[in-house]
Amino acid sequence: MSDAARIEGIKSERGDRLAILGHHYQSDEVLAHTDITGDSLELARRIEGLEAEHIVFCGVWFMAETAAILRRPEQRIHIPAPDASCPMADMAVSRSVEKALEILSRSGKKIIPLTYVNSSAGVKAVVGRWEGSVCTSANAKRMLEWAMERGDAVLFLPDRHLAVNTADALGIPEEQRHILNESVIEEDPSLYVSPDEVEGKKLLIWPGCCPIHEEFTLDTMLEIRDREPEAKIVVHPECTPDVTREADADGSTSFIIKYVAEAPAGSTIYVATEANLVERLAERHKGEKIIRPLTVQRCEDMGKTTEARLAAKLSELDTAEPVDVAEEVREPARKALERMLKACA
Ligand code: 13P
Ligand code: SF4
């Protein structure tokens, strides 16, 4: 029996007791079996309303962990590719974030942390304990405003590009922003962070980034502008600020899907995000619009979920160890996420 047939067989056997969720960067062969496909915000929002006893998450680890933080006690979260991490999320370690917050707070200023959802449960827990919250690429502007209303300065983490792009969108002056020393990613922040860094700043920025989105360059965009002045360029806000500033539009994966769908027939659109999504959009709009990748960038971790691994996970639902989060982490991490869900209801 093929993997596809095994998956569909288990799905019809389990009915509503099973829900398969998938991120837009998953391959077509995986998304063919998902009940819900979405960007990070949409997927997080759907967890609480799900009746299913088993929730299988096709994406990277932090997404399954977010589901495990938000799940009801009787629900079990599974991930077909537990080795799929997000390199950006790995750039912020919870004890370093906590240490940096302690040092920055010695300035006497109230620092509110705001973590991108691409972060570990441990980081979300630290943020929750420090009265902060979470954002996704779909609500970063709203959540940065939320955080700024609650303190003297915000520590935005881990994505420095999303932080700067959001600050640009909100008109936060450059002199009020400050990016922490890159060494805090690997080393003890006590060596690199000082309370003086808060002086005159409203936005402190953790120096992480997405290695996939960082590959898109302004030079490629300028060549396209030169060669095809009519073409539009839409980018994900994890791209560098020079790329994002030059784009016609930027937004979450769901925003990009909508932007492409709403573009007039005959448009040519270059898209700067993960290749699976760009290829799907090109296929979906074939013959009507020309959709091209700015350059082809693949997230290896997103690609770790395959139809075979999904089939294997579905066949061990009752015996597999579910993804879970220790209670002392879950409680504050949940608070951080709930603040976001409430602010963006
Ligand atoms: P979205 O929230 O826009 O779906 O993005 C998640 C992600 O990991 C982008 O690299
Ligand atoms: Fe992480 Fe970048 Fe992959 Fe998204 S595309 S999961 S941010 S590494």
Side-chain angles (χ1 to χ4, degrees):
M1 199 194 291
S2 70
D3 291 325
R6 268 171 74 203
I7 295 169
E8 290 307 313
I10 296 170
K11 280 184 74 175
S12 55
E13 224 172 81
R14 299 255 174 183
D16 292 345
R17 288 175 297 126
L18 167 66
I20 306 179
L21 275 57
H23 185 264
H24 291 309
Y25 290 164
Q26 293 290 297
S27 66
D28 287 344
E29 64 164 33
V30 169
L31 291 189
H33 303 293
T34 51
D35 300 298
I36 301 170
T37 303
D39 67 14
S40 308
L41 179 61
E42 292 160 344
L43 293 173
R45 265 207 189 115
R46 296 297 290 271
I47 302 299
E48 281 187 312
L50 287 175
E51 287 306 321
E53 169 193 353
H54 292 284
I55 300 172
V56 178
F57 215 107
C58 302
V60 290
W61 182 258
F62 79 80
M63 294 179 172
E65 226 182 23
T66 301
I69 295 165
L70 293 171
R71 73 177 175 89
R72 291 197 304 275
E74 69 278 14
Q75 292 177 315
R76 291 160 75 91
I77 310 296
H78 306 273
I79 183 165
D83 52 335
S85 65
C86 164
M88 179 210 283
D90 296 341
M91 289 182 196
V93 176
S94 58
R95 65 175 179 285
S96 297
V97 172
E98 182 127 56
K99 185 90 223 163
L101 281 165
E102 274 166 23
I103 298 168
L104 294 168
S105 297
R106 283 184 216 141
S107 61
K109 301 271 169 64
K110 186 170 171 76
I111 316 284
I112 300 288
L114 181 64
T115 184
Y116 191 25
V117 70
N118 298 38
S119 54
S120 68
V123 165
K124 290 184 180 80
V126 169
V127 165
R129 284 198 295 272
W130 281 70
E131 300 176 39
S133 187
V134 179
C135 72
T136 74
S137 59
N139 64 16
K141 272 187 266 172
R142 167 73 199 107
M143 290 312 297
L144 183 51
E145 284 175 329
W146 177 97
M148 290 183 86
E149 282 159 15
R150 282 163 176 79
D152 302 308
V154 173
L155 174 63
F156 189 107
L157 64 147
D159 187 0
R160 67 170 182 270
H161 301 320
L162 181 64
V164 170
N165 291 330
T166 309
D168 279 356
L170 290 178
I172 299 169
E174 295 216 11
E175 58 278 14
Q176 292 181 5
R177 315 172 188 173
H178 172 69
I179 302 180
L180 300 186
N181 187 308
E182 268 195 42
S183 303
V184 298
I185 293 173
E186 302 273 343
E187 293 175 60
D188 184 349
S190 321
L191 303 169
Y192 301 98
V193 180
S194 114
D196 303 341
E197 292 182 71
V198 184
E199 191 52 43
K201 307 296 175 196
K202 291 260 181 254
L203 180 60
L204 302 154
I205 300 171
W206 196 266
C209 68
C210 165
I212 285 88
H213 285 86
E214 217 179 33
E215 287 298 313
F216 297 107
T217 67
L218 180 60
D219 282 353
T220 322
M221 295 173 90
L222 296 178
E223 277 164 30
I224 291 166
R225 295 282 193 221
D226 208 34
R227 203 176 61 225
E228 296 172 74
E230 302 299 316
K232 298 285 185 204
I233 306 179
V234 59
V235 310
H236 194 280
E238 288 173 12
C239 291
T240 56
D242 56 346
V243 163
T244 307
R245 285 172 195 145
E246 177 60 28
D248 294 293
D250 69 277
S252 74
T253 49
S254 289
F255 170 89
I256 291 173
I257 294 167
K258 191 159 171 271
Y259 180 89
V260 168
E262 288 175 356
S267 310
T268 297
I269 307 172
Y270 283 84
V271 185
T273 198
E274 209 277 338
N276 277 338
L277 174 55
V278 187
E279 286 161 3
R280 184 170 313 118
L281 290 174
E283 191 55 33
R284 185 177 297 165
H285 297 282
K286 201 156 131 190
E288 181 214 353
K289 300 169 197 180
I290 300 171
I291 313 301
R292 295 199 175 114
L294 190 65
T295 53
V296 177
Q297 306 299 337
R298 293 194 190 277
C299 176
E300 229 177 83
D301 286 281
M302 282 284 181
K304 285 179 179 164
T305 310
T306 58
E307 208 172 36
R309 293 185 87 177
L310 176 57
K313 181 53 72 181
L314 292 183
S315 28
E316 54 166 37
L317 287 182
D318 296 319
T319 49
E321 192 60 42
V323 179
D324 216 355
V325 173
E327 208 43 49
E328 66 275 16
V329 172
R330 186 211 309 275
E331 211 256 329
R334 189 180 178 106
K335 259 197 196 124
L337 279 161
E338 281 173 349
R339 288 179 190 127
M340 171 185 82
L341 294 172
K342 187 160 170 242
C344 300

